[in-house]
Amino acid sequence: MKRNHLLYFSLIIGISIIFGLSACSSKENNTPPWEWEDPEKPDPGTDDGSKPRFIWIDASANFPDFANNKDNIRRDLTLAKEAGFTHIIVDVRPPTGDALFSTTKVEQAQWLGAWVNGVFTKVARTATWDYLQAFIDIGHELGLKVFAGVNTMAGGHQTSLGGNGMLFRDASKKSWATQLLTSSGIRNAMDVGRDGTRFFNPANDEVQDFLLGLLEDLAAYSDLDGIILDRCRFDELDSDFSDESRNKFEAYLGKSVSFPDDVMRADIKTAYLPDNLPPYFKQWLEFRVKVIHDFMEKACSRVKAKNPDISFGAYVGGWYSQYYGVGVNWASPKYNTSADYPQWAGSNYQKYGFADLMDVMLIGAYAAPNAIYGTSEWTVQGFCSRAKNLIRGDALVAGGPDIGNYGWGGGGDFSDATIYGAVTNSVDAAINASDGYFLFDMIHLKMMPEKWKRVKTGIDNYLKTVKE
């Protein structure tokens, strides 16, 4: 994942990162002051020279434990520390789009939906203490680095409990919601009655200004070690078809088109592209990744201006071959996408890789328990090694599994022995193929506590090799 290494080499326990002059600038305009001498060597980010180990803490899933109880936060962060994790990423802007940190720009999260005793229910937050600050204080006491995770383009979420968040609360913000291309025409996401996250339109200038202000407020936490943008993307290939996106695309193209017919059809699905694509389909994909690239550049600049010492990064799914569907090119701009994926990537797609803007990239290497080792996508090791290659040393790369889904005990017909063995082996497969280890999510360790032991075994095995 990207990022120009800067003048200031800041150690955030697992992340050797350069901040300063060029971190937020495209490499087309700035030459980084240095390159890693050996991109395969572990980065000297932790006190003992080992690679960083990140664990994600989803807001909704963990809300029953953490919304109102600092003792539970301390209990579980202690478990994370004892298991060998060095960094936590605490989700402070869940898919509702509301906040779990100090800001006046959006409401604080009043409730989130979570499973409690087998029932999906509302979990209310009644505590008045600062949620993020509690994790920072306790995490630092334990010697952990604390990052804040942000569901960036999310503005609301609908479940069986109803709609929750800004887009459901404030009808005046409906124009911020993405416009979807459906079989019945273009429709605002708020008019599509389905469960799930309601995305903003990333090309909307008001949306971008709002989000940049939120990120500045987050960066104002002087003792926060890093910020990770999640869901900094379009909803899917059917998004966004607003007038604003059309106008900006035509300006990018330099001429008017028949919209949306010349760029997209409702029957086109990611990973199942037909031979007869619309005439400007590739240019439309280029435009979308440019929108995200340019927002990332603004976000990095605003965050670093507020707090030059903070680490800035993004979470992305490792399936790069399909990530064009959400309008994201997370590779280095040094990587020529069109050479490997000519069906959907034009010559300009490469320009909008944003890895050189990042300090750290977290890679979702979400493969099943029987697909830990390998060289291809859809293996943990393959996801990580391929991401390392795509990012070309522009940022620290830490990848790893979702140990609750994709067959990790939440969907596949696998024995406990296979699942537990996969948890341990995922550390070896990911950390030796990239610059670190990333696990999603803490709730899955808590649901099957034996997994705490199994991931600790994997980390202990890795640390033995570091000492040797």
Side-chain angles (χ1 to χ4, degrees):
M1 312 322 261
K2 144 343 334 328
R3 147 252 189 134
N4 275 331
H5 293 309
L6 308 183
L7 257 29
Y8 182 69
F9 187 23
S10 181
L11 269 192
I12 12 184
I13 203 172
I15 293 188
S16 169
I17 290 174
I18 287 190
F19 302 106
L21 300 177
S22 52
C24 302
S25 301
S26 168
K27 285 188 174 173
E28 291 182 13
N29 303 317
N30 294 277
T31 301
W34 66 284
E35 295 288 345
W36 294 343
E37 291 181 4
D38 180 358
E40 299 306 316
K41 279 180 63 174
D43 296 308
T46 54
D47 293 339
D48 60 3
S50 63
K51 297 180 182 181
R53 285 86 67 190
F54 297 82
I55 184 170
W56 194 281
I57 302 173
D58 179 79
S60 299
N62 293 282
F63 221 48
D65 282 340
F66 298 154
N68 306 299
N69 194 317
K70 291 184 182 180
D71 289 339
N72 286 349
I73 295 174
R74 182 178 299 278
R75 177 199 67 199
D76 291 343
L77 294 195
T78 299
L79 285 172
K81 174 69 174 181
E82 291 174 346
F85 289 99
T86 56
H87 295 61
I88 64 167
I89 309 105
V90 53
D91 179 7
V92 295
R93 188 169 187 265
T96 64
D98 291 334
L100 289 166
F101 63 95
S102 180
T103 181
T104 59
K105 296 177 176 64
V106 71
E107 288 190 16
Q108 294 293 304
Q110 299 298 313
W111 64 270
L112 295 174
W115 290 95
V116 180
N117 298 323
V119 178
F120 192 67
T121 188
K122 289 185 179 181
V123 178
R125 181 155 204 262
T126 57
T128 57
W129 40 266
D130 188 313
Y131 185 85
L132 173 58
Q133 192 64 53
F135 278 89
I136 294 172
D137 293 342
I138 296 170
H140 285 176
E141 285 178 26
L142 295 170
L144 294 164
K145 294 296 182 180
V146 180
F147 283 39
V150 177
N151 277 271
T152 313
M153 293 296 169
H157 194 70
Q158 182 166 310
T159 66
S160 59
L161 303 173
N164 191 9
M166 174 192 292
L167 288 175
F168 288 97
R169 225 177 14 247
D170 185 353
S172 70
K173 295 297 189 294
K174 184 176 180 180
S175 63
W176 288 15
T178 189
Q179 298 276 337
L180 304 174
L181 179 61
T182 73
S183 58
S184 57
I186 298 172
R187 300 179 64 191
N188 188 289
M190 300 306 294
D191 296 329
V192 178
R194 65 188 185 195
D195 286 351
T197 301
R198 296 297 187 271
F199 276 71
F200 291 139
N201 171 16
N204 183 300
D205 293 332
E206 290 183 342
V207 165
Q208 291 199 12
D209 289 343
F210 164 71
L211 293 174
L212 293 171
L214 278 182
L215 292 175
E216 283 185 323
D217 288 348
L218 198 49
Y221 283 78
S222 60
D223 48 357
L224 181 64
D225 296 299
I227 295 173
I228 298 292
L229 301 191
D230 185 12
R231 285 178 165 167
C232 191
R233 58 178 176 82
F234 287 83
D235 190 356
E236 237 298 343
L237 203 54
D238 59 357
S239 166
D240 173 88
F241 292 87
S242 64
D243 288 341
E244 185 161 16
S245 292
R246 172 185 182 165
N247 292 336
K248 289 187 174 183
F249 172 67
E250 290 181 340
Y252 169 77
L253 195 62
K255 61 181 175 181
S256 298
V257 298
S258 177
F259 193 86
D261 295 347
D262 280 351
V263 300
M264 181 62 184
R265 298 191 308 269
D267 65 291
I268 299 175
K269 306 299 180 185
T270 304
Y272 299 97
L273 297 181
D275 292 332
N276 59 331
L277 291 167
Y280 295 106
F281 180 76
K282 288 185 181 181
Q283 290 90 337
W284 175 246
L285 296 190
E286 289 172 1
F287 164 74
R288 295 167 89 232
V289 296
K290 183 181 187 299
V291 168
I292 299 302
H293 170 278
D294 292 354
F295 175 79
M296 284 292 198
E297 193 166 39
K298 294 175 196 173
C300 180
S301 294
R302 295 277 283 268
V303 164
K304 298 285 189 176
K306 189 67 137 180
N307 186 349
D309 296 337
I310 203 166
S311 177
F312 182 75
Y315 159 82
V316 295
W319 40 101
Y320 184 84
S321 66
Q322 299 178 25
Y323 232 62
Y324 66 87
V326 294
V328 171
N329 181 6
W330 51 260
S332 167
K334 293 178 286 190
Y335 170 68
N336 183 2
T337 311
S338 63
D340 290 333
Y341 301 104
Q343 185 182 18
W344 51 263
S347 59
N348 290 324
Y349 199 94
Q350 174 180 356
K351 294 180 181 179
Y352 308 119
F354 64 67
D356 62 330
L357 302 175
M358 302 290 109
D359 294 319
V360 57
M361 294 291 290
L362 299 182
I363 307 298
Y366 298 166
N370 60 349
I372 304 302
Y373 295 101
T375 58
S376 65
E377 287 188 344
W378 304 108
T379 66
V380 171
Q381 185 182 40
F383 273 136
C384 293
S385 62
R386 292 168 72 89
K388 180 77 172 165
N389 177 60
L390 292 169
I391 289 162
R392 303 290 168 93
D394 283 350
L396 184 141
V397 181
D402 175 344
I403 62 166
N405 297 313
Y406 295 91
W408 288 84
D413 185 18
F414 297 100
S415 68
D416 284 353
T418 298
I419 293 168
Y420 292 144
V423 172
T424 297
N425 290 335
S426 72
V427 180
D428 173 65
I431 207 166
N432 289 307
S434 63
D435 304 316
Y437 180 65
F438 164 62
L439 184 143
F440 186 92
D441 172 87
M442 179 179 278
I443 191 63
H444 301 310
L445 295 174
K446 292 156 65 173
M447 290 174 65
M448 296 179 71
E450 178 68 19
K451 291 180 181 178
W452 280 112
K453 300 178 184 177
R454 300 308 178 113
V455 74
K456 175 175 170 51
T457 297
I459 293 174
D460 285 348
N461 290 342
Y462 162 71
L463 291 175
K464 287 177 186 176
T465 67
V466 174
K467 293 177 182 178
E468 292 172 358

